[in-house]
Amino acid sequence: MSKLIKPTNYKPLLDMRQTEQGIKLIKEFFQMNLSTELRLRRVTAPLFVLKGLGINDDLNGVERPVTFPVKDLGDAQAEVVHSLAKWKRLTLADYDIEPGYGVYADMNAIRADEELDNLHSLYVDQWDWEAVMTAEQRNLDFLKDIVRRIYSAIRRTEFLVCERYTEIKPFLPEDIHFIESEDLLQMYPDKSVKERENLICKKYGAVFVIGIGGKLSNGEPHDGRAPDYDDWTTPNSDGRQGLNGDILIWYPMLERAVELSSMGIRVDKEALLRQLELTGQQDRKELYFHKKLLGGELPLSIGGGIGQSRLCMVLLHKAHLGEIQASIWPEDMVRECAKLGMAII
């Protein structure tokens, strides 16, 4: 129960019926805006993939995927996806998408090792998107432009919600602030990663932290990243390493930073080899996905995931993810949430 954040005098602004309507409104409007901003077409996504192909997202490398045998495939093991980070790039090649265009999908996942609290659930739903880019666009300016486009879509969605439900007031700032993870460390050298994120987000309201996965000057990464999708070792335009990052906002309801999106320019052949060596995972070069990338069969791309339930949660001013999605929570957490006015679905 120590993981449960308990906002003082919490009272939901919308009842359960209005909340369900609000969720539908947000999801329909935001995905339309996202697809328009980034020129994305919708594709159907898998819930599971075969084990051993290197397609599933390995997240931080320690999370266990939900695995099951497939009878008609000789009990071959399938894994429920963690995300579609690498699957989408294969899809870009399959559809022969040209530069400047891409795909997005409704991704549903199970992360059995997730630590459950107001913002983390066993069930993950997000808009997973990926777009083809050129070699000339593999730079920080292009990454920032895409971040601004996504943030604009988020703010337009907030405006629509506040127009529909006048009791909800907007809180997102007009612009998003960019900061290198190393610069953030230098600003708050005696703080933990989460404390640094809270401080910078409270100051600016919306922040994109650049460069996640590589070690900082203190010998630790800002956060973990798998070595085979985001590029976190290629120097960006400021000479720092990292062409990826996270979109974070300051959420007054919980008085903390909330991550809405993890995204970045994807590895090319050189960055993949470098990151596999840095993480001691050179054996991945023999996997299906990695062979295709190293063989030049996959396009250069940029992509990421945007949390659907999280976006709905913050735009509808809810205090717990369980007010937005149906999942499983500890019984003591459900009871405590009921006392605090959080109606867990």
Side-chain angles (χ1 to χ4, degrees):
M1 288 306 303
S2 61
K3 299 173 186 174
L4 182 65
I5 303 172
K6 305 175 183 179
T8 305
N9 299 323
Y10 173 68
K11 184 178 181 181
L13 299 178
L14 306 180
D15 60 27
M16 295 186 75
R17 179 183 59 81
Q18 292 172 313
T19 298
E20 292 288 3
Q21 292 173 339
I23 292 170
K24 182 174 183 290
L25 176 72
I26 291 170
K27 289 190 174 185
E28 290 179 348
F29 183 80
F30 178 78
Q31 70 178 2
M32 179 183 67
N33 275 261
L34 179 69
S35 63
T36 301
E37 280 285 356
L38 303 185
R39 295 193 286 188
L40 309 173
R41 68 175 65 165
R42 186 190 179 281
V43 294
T44 300
L47 178 60
F48 41 81
V49 294
L50 284 175
K51 183 178 181 179
L53 297 179
I55 297 176
N56 203 358
D57 182 357
D58 298 289
L59 300 176
N60 293 310
V62 297
E63 294 87 351
R64 301 168 300 171
V66 175
T67 306
F68 61 93
V70 182
K71 180 180 177 181
D72 272 5
L73 295 180
D75 280 346
Q77 295 292 303
E79 297 177 341
V80 176
V81 297
H82 279 146
S83 84
L84 303 175
K86 289 176 282 187
W87 177 87
K88 293 174 298 182
R89 200 163 176 185
L90 293 168
T91 301
L92 292 178
D94 289 341
Y95 280 82
D96 195 23
I97 304 293
E98 60 186 280
Y101 296 86
V103 299
Y104 80 94
D106 282 304
M107 190 281 298
N108 294 284
I110 299 174
R111 297 183 183 175
D113 288 338
E114 199 72 80
E115 294 185 2
L116 307 180
D117 57 23
N118 301 60
L119 293 165
H120 297 87
S121 170
L122 299 175
Y123 169 59
V124 179
D125 57 340
Q126 63 184 31
W127 290 285
D128 248 322
W129 65 274
E130 198 86 8
V132 179
M133 59 187 295
T134 65
E136 292 72 28
Q137 291 173 321
R138 297 192 82 257
N139 58 67
L140 189 58
D141 288 339
F142 180 71
L143 175 63
K144 287 182 175 180
D145 178 63
I146 297 297
V147 170
R148 291 190 183 100
R149 288 173 179 271
I150 294 172
Y151 185 66
S152 293
I154 292 172
R155 288 196 68 240
R156 282 196 296 273
T157 307
E158 181 190 43
F159 176 79
L160 176 67
V161 170
C162 294
E163 284 285 297
R164 181 66 58 87
Y165 304 104
T166 56
E167 57 268 57
I168 296 178
K169 305 303 179 184
F171 68 94
L172 294 175
E174 182 176 351
D175 299 313
I176 186 167
H177 179 75
F178 293 88
I179 188 167
E180 300 268 354
S181 55
E182 178 63 35
D183 290 338
L184 185 57
L185 171 62
Q186 297 304 320
M187 286 178 66
Y188 308 109
D190 59 337
K191 303 296 184 182
S192 69
V193 170
K194 294 305 177 186
E195 288 171 335
R196 297 198 294 269
E197 290 180 347
N198 284 336
L199 287 166
I200 197 69
C201 285
K202 189 171 185 179
K203 181 177 182 179
Y204 290 103
V207 177
F208 186 74
V209 179
I210 304 166
I212 296 178
K215 290 183 179 180
L216 304 178
S217 59
N218 64 355
E220 300 175 357
H222 182 84
D223 200 357
R225 278 294 191 278
D228 43 18
Y229 53 97
D230 279 358
D231 185 341
W232 40 262
T233 53
T234 297
N236 60 44
S237 59
D238 294 329
R240 296 275 176 77
Q241 290 185 333
L243 291 171
N244 69 343
D246 288 344
I247 296 177
L248 306 167
I249 63 160
W250 177 254
Y251 189 38
M253 175 67 69
L254 300 181
E255 296 187 322
R256 58 158 291 172
V258 173
E259 177 191 322
L260 293 182
S261 176
S262 172
M263 58 173 289
I265 291 173
R266 305 311 199 185
V267 291
D268 56 12
K269 177 180 177 180
E270 291 73 21
L272 175 62
L273 292 173
R274 185 166 55 245
Q275 292 177 185
L276 289 178
E277 183 176 359
L278 282 171
T279 57
Q281 300 180 73
Q282 294 95 325
D283 56 332
R284 291 195 185 186
K285 289 187 291 184
E286 301 305 315
L287 298 176
Y288 173 78
F289 171 83
H290 302 72
K291 280 185 175 181
K292 277 188 166 291
L293 178 53
L294 294 173
E297 298 180 52
L298 302 181
L300 297 175
S301 67
I302 182 172
I306 302 164
Q308 295 188 17
S309 290
R310 275 202 192 173
L311 183 64
C312 292
M313 174 184 165
V314 300
L315 294 187
L316 296 177
H317 293 206
K318 299 293 185 177
H320 196 286
L321 209 59
E323 297 178 87
I324 298 296
Q325 59 162 245
S327 185
I328 299 174
W329 311 94
E331 282 300 321
D332 56 347
M333 182 179 289
V334 174
R335 289 193 296 269
E336 187 67 17
C337 285
K339 293 178 184 177
L340 296 168
M342 306 177 200
I344 303 300
I345 298 174

